[in-house]
Amino acid sequence: MAALPKVVSINDAINKAGRQRMLSQRAAKSYMALGQNVLPDLSQKVLAASLALFDAQLVELAAYSPTAEIGATYNELKATWAEYKAAVSKVPDLPGAERVILLSGKVLQLANRGTVQLEGVSGNPTGQLINVAGRQRMLSQRMAAFYLASSWHVQGVASLAVVTAARDEFVKAHLLLRSAPETTESIKSELAIADMQFTFFEAALQSLKPGESNAQASANVFTTSERILQVMNNVTGMYEKLT
């Protein structure tokens, strides 16, 4: 019988904890896309994969918790996640979308708390960079989720404000990563790929105005956010392996 996956180091824990933030927003993105029939097959696949990975990592992180405080965070996250998972698993509709937005924020907040707590246990610059790079994954999904929320008239103007704030944070964090002394040439090459994808992403993001919808732009936002996620997941893994 194969051994169950488990957290193998503090860097691994920070990476996985940060990935939970991303999955909270990726699930919301998929729900908003499904509600508008945007790439329904892909959206359903991404939603199912996001829920399954969050479940698996939550077990690992709760078992690993190196302090009582971190253990308490993951116990709280378990309860909030169960509520969110039930909401995002229902057939999408507008009242449900409002609830998904609310609960995705609560899950994100708790997942971020766990990540920051684990970074504190690490106490080294690499831990911070894993956290920052991992947060870029979340921001890519958060921008897409709230773009799709706005296009569905879910908190339209407020959702666009979230997109703008997440975009600004992403750009600043990218500068931090590029300038960090620990960032290797290999990591810089990956960050350059993320920059290129972000250019396409921004073009789609900027096509939306409050109260409007654009099916092609929504599809572009969904797929490009997946590509940025893949690159930044690679980058986060590269920082994790630094010693």
Side-chain angles (χ1 to χ4, degrees):
M1 183 176 177
L4 293 175
K6 64 178 182 179
V7 173
V8 297
S9 67
I10 187 62
N11 281 0
D12 184 36
I14 298 167
N15 189 357
K16 287 176 177 173
R19 193 180 287 123
Q20 300 292 74
R21 297 178 298 201
M22 176 277 290
L23 293 169
S24 73
Q25 304 305 290
R26 194 177 186 224
K29 175 187 77 172
S30 300
Y31 181 98
M32 300 300 160
L34 285 167
Q36 298 167 84
N37 201 36
V38 173
L39 303 172
D41 292 342
L42 177 60
S43 298
Q44 188 62 60
K45 181 180 178 180
V46 167
L47 177 58
S50 298
L51 299 181
L53 184 54
F54 195 106
D55 280 338
Q57 291 185 155
L58 186 55
V59 171
E60 290 183 65
L61 290 162
Y64 176 79
S65 300
T67 69
E69 183 183 33
I70 293 173
T73 293
Y74 282 102
N75 282 334
E76 190 175 349
L77 180 55
K78 283 180 184 178
T80 306
W81 168 248
E83 191 177 4
Y84 178 49
K85 184 180 178 182
V88 83
S89 297
K90 293 179 179 176
V91 175
D93 58 26
L94 285 171
E98 296 278 355
R99 182 164 175 74
V100 163
I101 287 291
L102 174 66
L103 290 172
S104 73
K106 291 183 177 181
V107 171
L108 172 58
Q109 183 180 37
L110 288 167
N112 188 61
R113 185 202 299 171
T115 310
V116 171
Q117 288 171 333
L118 286 162
E119 182 196 326
V121 170
S122 167
N124 64 59
T126 302
Q128 180 190 18
L129 292 170
I130 297 166
N131 183 5
V132 173
R135 189 170 174 83
Q136 296 292 74
R137 298 176 297 196
M138 179 277 289
L139 291 170
S140 73
Q141 302 307 294
R142 186 164 175 80
M143 285 184 278
F146 279 84
Y147 174 101
L148 288 162
S150 182
S151 71
W152 203 13
H153 315 300
V154 180
Q155 303 179 16
V157 175
S159 290
L160 281 182
V162 172
V163 173
T164 299
R167 182 260 176 210
D168 292 346
E169 184 181 347
F170 185 96
V171 170
K172 288 177 183 176
H174 224 61
L175 290 171
L176 184 154
L177 293 172
R178 279 204 300 264
S179 62
E182 297 84 359
T183 299
T184 64
E185 290 304 316
S186 295
I187 294 176
K188 287 179 181 178
S189 294
E190 288 293 306
L191 291 173
I193 295 171
D195 281 336
M196 183 175 62
Q197 293 296 335
F198 189 70
T199 299
F200 297 123
F201 191 50
E202 269 205 306
L205 289 175
Q206 291 171 357
S207 68
L208 183 66
K209 302 295 185 291
E212 293 182 1
S213 61
N214 181 323
Q216 186 57 57
S218 293
N220 290 343
V221 164
F222 193 102
T223 55
T224 309
S225 71
E226 287 292 302
R227 288 194 286 272
I228 294 172
L229 167 59
Q230 183 178 26
V231 175
M232 291 313 302
N233 197 52
N234 291 341
V235 168
T236 309
M238 294 168 81
Y239 280 119
E240 181 192 329
K241 291 177 174 61
L242 294 178
T243 56

